[in-house]
């Protein structure tokens, strides 16, 4: 299919690549009815130019990994999408369409630049979410319960979850002192979109870890405060509370029985991936708040993390969201045989996703390995010369680990 792309007209090529490749890296469920980018937002783009050009920008930047010339088309589509979005926001564009367009622009920027998280677009998305929630409060109950409004709410729940995923992941690496406004600050919105049974449906990006991501957002915010203050001792109480939340978190007991039509999806891999995110976040918390050392009951979160990731076959679609936990695990591997295993996982991930941010993340891993080797074992597991976040900051990179 990829080899046939140059012979197609741009519009057909964009649609084909979006449906056969880009959709597949944006959801761990990729059947025609279970991938919302294909089933909900592609049809919506036929009547909204801003969303179409946002999707086209995303698809062309994704395709540029194998056909670099398509980046030019991606840039053109992105420029048009931004122009149409601004025009639409000034002319009563539906909020769900505006939010979908804004998220495509965030993904597009991250995939084009490879060392950017699209954080400016995420701040815009936060404003749109607040607007939607406010508008819901003033709607008559009869309107709220109408089929059209329920359909809009369903789309918005999907978009809110996508925003939660990318905003939390972005906060892990962004050096922007202006918060993206992750779920830690969005409790009202989270409550609206997270009724009972929140983790009993597999989310396209968060899988069965939907209730874990707000905790991850809190950890990322605390780590940012530690970094900006230059002290971690004053944040020990908050870090201990988050440590307890993480340790107690478990996927829903119904997770093993969640149905999915995609043959490349399996619930055991989904659950292992959720736990991998849990241990990656615990590891990040321990490393960034060294004063927690005396309170650490789990001495080997890195070992458990790598074990969980290796339990997931590379044929599983859940691998599309393994960038952050694999980065965390790989940076802690010291023995060369295990590093080779981690290296092969990165090769498989790059082959699966065809995204530049995957390769940049592995560049960071290799630099961590180089620094640890240069120190000849005289290093400690903390944020400093050998931590991946320090490498990114020194290089001026904000790689989107998702």
């Amino acid at each position: 299919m990829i080899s046939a792309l140059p012979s197609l007209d741009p519009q057909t090529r964009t649609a084909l690549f979006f449906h056969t490749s880009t959709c597949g890296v944006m959801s761990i469920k990729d059947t025609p009815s279970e991938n919302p980018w294909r089933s909900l937002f592609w049809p919506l783009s036929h009547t909204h130019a801003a969303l179409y050009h946002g999707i086209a920008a995303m698809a062309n930047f994704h395709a540029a990994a194998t056909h670099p010339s398509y980046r030019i088309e991606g840039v053109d589509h992105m420029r048009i999408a931004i122009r149409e979005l601004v025009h639409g926001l000034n002319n009563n564009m539906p909020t769900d369409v505006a939010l979908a367009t804004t998220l495509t622009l965030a993904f597009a920027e991250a995939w084009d630049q490879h060392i950017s998280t699209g954080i400016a677009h995420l701040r815009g998305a936060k404003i749109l979410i607040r607007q939607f929630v406010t508008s819901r409060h003033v709607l008559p109950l009869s309107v709220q319960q109408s089929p059209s409004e329920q359909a809009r709410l369903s789309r918005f729940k999907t978009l809110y979850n996508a925003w939660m995923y990318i905003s939390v992941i972005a906060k892990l690496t962004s050096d922007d002192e202006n918060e993206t406004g992750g779920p830690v600050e969005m409790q009202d919105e989270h409550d609206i979109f997270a009724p009972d049974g929140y983790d009993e449906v597999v989310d396209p990006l968060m899988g069965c870890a939907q209730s874990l991501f707000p905790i991850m957002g809190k950890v990322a915010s605390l780590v940012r405060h530690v970094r900006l203050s230059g002290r971690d001792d004053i944040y020990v109480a908050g870090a201990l509370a988050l440590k307890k939340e993480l340790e107690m978190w478990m996927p829903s007991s119904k997770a093993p029985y969640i149905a999915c039509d995609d043959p490349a999806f399996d619930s055991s891999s989904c659950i292992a991936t959720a736990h991998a995110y849990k241990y990656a976040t615990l590891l990040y918390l321990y490393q960034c708040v060294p004063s927690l050392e005396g309170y650490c009951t789990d001495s080997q979160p890195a070992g458990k993390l790598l074990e969980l990731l290796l339990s997931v076959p590379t044929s599983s679609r859940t691998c599309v969201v393994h960038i952050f936990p694999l980065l965390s695990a790989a940076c802690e591997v010291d023995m060369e045989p295990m590093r080779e295993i981690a290296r092969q996982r990165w090769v498989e991930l790059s082959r699966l996703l065809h995204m530049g941010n995957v390769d940049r993340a592995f560049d960071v891993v290799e630099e961590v390995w180089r620094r640890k080797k240069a120190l000849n074992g005289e290093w400690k597991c903390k944020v400093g010369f050998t931590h991946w976040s320090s490498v990114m900051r020194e290089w001026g990179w904000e790689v989107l680990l998702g």
Side-chain angles (χ1 to χ4, degrees), residues 2 6 52 132 152 189 196 217 276 308 317 326 354 363 397:
I2 290 178
Y52 170 76
F132 178 85
R152 192 169 79 102
E189 290 84 340
D196 292 338
L308 283 164
R317 193 166 294 283
L326 184 57
H354 289 292
D363 289 342
W397 287 11

Side-chain angles (χ1 to χ4, degrees), residues 6 18 58 105 108 184 269 290 377 387:
F18 174 73
M58 202 166 53
L105 293 173
V184 61
S269 293
H387 195 266

Side-chain angles (χ1 to χ4, degrees), residues 213-276:
F213 269 73
I215 308 173
M216 291 174 60
K218 295 176 190 177
V219 170
S221 292
L222 183 138
V223 168
R224 177 172 292 170
H225 289 307
V226 169
R227 191 184 75 247
L228 293 177
S229 69
R231 296 179 59 183
D232 71 299
D233 55 312
I234 58 177
Y235 293 102
V236 170
L240 280 171
L242 289 173
K243 170 182 173 290
K244 184 177 180 180
E245 276 195 77
L246 285 167
E247 289 175 339
M248 292 180 64
W249 182 87
M250 292 289 287
S252 165
S253 59
K254 296 184 179 180
Y257 310 105
I258 294 173
C260 178
D261 294 332
D262 190 341
F265 172 90
D266 63 289
S267 59
S268 60
S269 293
C270 187
I271 293 169
T273 298
H275 281 292

Side-chain angles (χ1 to χ4, degrees), residues 65-80:
T66 48
H67 290 77
S69 62
Y70 296 158
R71 181 180 180 273
I72 298 172
E73 290 184 34
V75 171
D76 289 340
H77 282 295
M78 193 165 187
R79 187 182 301 116
I80 297 171

Side-chain angles (χ1 to χ4, degrees), residues 130 160 182-192 214 218:
R130 289 204 182 279
Y160 174 78
V184 61
E185 298 177 34
M186 301 285 287
Q187 212 58 57
D188 290 342
E189 290 84 340
H190 179 60
D191 290 343
I192 285 174
K218 295 176 190 177

Side-chain angles (χ1 to χ4, degrees), residues 5 12 29 60 96 106 131 155 178 182 203 236 265-266 269 284 351:
L5 288 178
T12 302
K29 304 180 294 181
N60 277 280
D96 54 338
Q131 288 177 353
R155 287 197 298 270
N178 295 310
D203 183 74
V236 170
F265 172 90
D266 63 289
S269 293
Y284 183 56
R351 180 192 61 78

